[in-house]
Amino acid sequence: MTAASRITPFMPERAVIRSIIPMAQDNTLFQFTVDSEALANCLPGQFVQLWVPGVGESPISVCSGRKGGNLELLVRKVGRVTSALFQMQEGDWVGIRGPYGFGFPMDDFKGKDVCLIAGGLGVAPIRSVFQYILEKREEFGRVIIVYGMRHSNDLLFRPEFKLLLRRRDLEVFIAAEELTGPELPPVSVQLGRVTDLINMSHVGPSFETAVCGPPVMYKYVVDELKKKGVPESKIWLSLERHMKCGIGKCGHCFIGGALTCKAGPVFNLTALKMLPEVVECCQ
Ligand SMILES: Cc1cc2nc3c(=O)[nH]c(=O)nc-3n(C[C@H](O)[C@H](O)[C@H](O)COP(=O)(O)OP(=O)(O)OC[C@H]3O[C@@H](n4cnc5c(N)ncnc54)[C@H](O)[C@@H]3O)c2cc1C
Ligand code: FES
């Protein structure tokens, strides 16, 4: 099936698994060859629906941010669909539809200082943001990347972060709550939490901030950003909710009056505060 033959937004496009790159623990990076321009040019923060034939579909964040490059998805093996994907080989095909949702407002970020904050698997969409920025580095101001995780062994994209840490045009902070394993990672990982890193960084009122991580992290990150003087209008949070259709039809992702798949998954904090019963981070 080609992109041209797609007749409804529900229809997945055939995507061939070009390479499979195991990462830390149960996380693997899948690179796909896709025909459609839309899938090759997803925007940072958007998601796609990944369909494993005979098994089902799951929403997965776009993890690549280079224009026209391979579509890359970082997948954690947790259940039926992801386990079936992990059984597949290079050269096999899956169905992918999308991209869907509002991602991070990259056009608004241009010309501004930007701070990217990732917790755990949240580094997947945040990677799409920094790849996008690094392609047009001169169009952005100061760039800070903050990445926290539970164990240092969970560090994802290790070789990529090693290179990022060497760049003079980025400030990169990485911390783990536990430094474990016989070998420390070959990049400098400090002992601590994401919030310690934010505190240590020079993020301030001029920064647009993009945040993605486990829900429990958001309240503390937002508090810390506010302490640093970042206004709510410059705090952008990616939310994860149970999703089925991905296109605003099934209602599974309903959250406080909005459908996350249509209105999000990236929300500005000021907009989130308008939604009743939403997030602890807003209180
Ligand atoms: C917008 C969005 C982006 C996502 N991006 C990624 C990504 O980049 N990489 C990745 O590995 N996963 C991502 N996920 C999560 C992924 O969609 C779920 O883990 C999915 O359920 C896996 O499918 P499965 O059939 O393997 O697991 P299932 O068999 O469906 O479920 C396994 C377990 O996860 C629980 N679960 C399922 N979905 C969610 C959810 N959204 N929130 C909390 N618990 C859930 C189920 O209740 C069950 O306990 C994303 C989800 C959303 C909504
Ligand atoms: S996932 Fe169906 S309405 Fe959002």
Side-chain angles (χ1 to χ4, degrees):
M1 187 192 312
T2 66
S5 67
R6 282 206 290 172
I7 48 172
T8 78
F10 283 114
M11 191 77 87
E13 178 186 336
R14 190 176 159 118
V16 175
I17 301 175
R18 185 187 163 112
S19 56
I20 298 176
I21 304 168
M23 300 250 150
Q25 317 298 348
D26 276 339
N27 301 289
T28 290
L29 184 71
F30 292 86
Q31 294 180 323
F32 297 93
T33 304
V34 287
D35 281 342
S36 84
E37 287 228 346
L39 284 177
N41 294 292
C42 300
L43 291 171
Q46 289 189 300
F47 69 95
V48 296
Q49 288 282 7
L50 172 85
W51 172 56
V52 177
V55 184
E57 272 195 327
S58 284
I60 303 288
S61 302
V62 171
C63 169
S64 40
R66 297 191 185 100
K67 280 253 169 250
N70 293 323
L71 174 65
E72 296 181 338
L73 304 177
L74 180 80
V75 182
R76 175 169 293 170
K77 187 165 76 166
V78 291
R80 270 165 36 85
V81 173
T82 49
S83 299
L85 179 70
F86 273 61
Q87 299 287 318
M88 300 181 94
Q89 313 285 326
E90 291 173 2
D92 289 345
W93 65 272
V94 295
I96 296 184
R97 60 186 175 89
Y100 297 130
F102 284 100
F104 293 102
M106 299 310 299
D107 282 341
D108 293 345
F109 285 5
K110 284 186 183 155
K112 309 216 179 109
D113 297 332
V114 183
C115 176
L116 313 177
I117 300 168
L121 192 61
V123 74
I126 291 299
R127 177 182 183 249
S128 70
V129 184
F130 67 67
Q131 284 198 341
Y132 181 100
I133 290 176
L134 292 179
E135 278 215 324
K136 307 164 188 191
R137 180 64 189 89
E138 67 289 351
E139 295 184 13
F140 297 85
R142 287 177 66 180
V143 178
I144 297 177
I145 303 176
V146 168
Y147 174 22
M149 68 214 75
R150 180 73 47 100
H151 304 284
S152 54
N153 283 341
D154 299 335
L155 177 66
L156 299 168
F157 304 110
R158 197 168 292 218
E160 209 163 324
F161 273 101
K162 210 172 161 184
L163 295 176
L164 294 180
L165 279 157
R166 288 200 195 125
R167 289 183 67 128
R168 288 169 179 266
D169 57 354
L170 293 178
E171 294 158 68
V172 182
F173 298 85
I174 305 175
E177 288 171 43
E178 283 180 45
L179 299 175
T180 52
E183 278 178 56
L184 287 182
V187 295
S188 33
V189 177
Q190 318 186 27
L191 187 63
R193 295 171 181 233
V194 169
T195 41
D196 301 327
L197 298 177
I198 297 171
N199 180 265
M200 192 184 294
S201 76
H202 292 110
V203 64
S206 67
F207 279 78
E208 295 283 348
T209 58
V211 187
C212 190
V216 65
M217 179 187 100
Y218 283 29
K219 176 178 170 19
Y220 301 103
V221 165
V222 166
D223 283 350
E224 202 62 40
L225 289 174
K226 285 186 182 170
K227 273 192 226 159
K228 291 288 225 173
V230 179
E232 291 183 351
S233 61
K234 292 188 172 180
I235 300 178
W236 300 86
L237 306 165
S238 179
L239 299 190
E240 216 181 89
R241 283 292 177 278
H242 282 277
M243 288 186 188
K244 282 278 178 209
C245 69
I247 55 170
K249 301 286 183 204
C250 71
H252 268 80
C253 65
F254 186 78
I255 170 177
L259 295 170
T260 318
C261 66
K262 291 282 277 187
V266 173
F267 290 87
N268 184 265
L269 182 57
T270 46
L272 271 185
K273 289 185 81 160
M274 308 294 285
L275 304 177
E277 52 159 295
V278 182
V279 214
E280 304 117 36
C281 63
C282 303
Q283 289 152 8

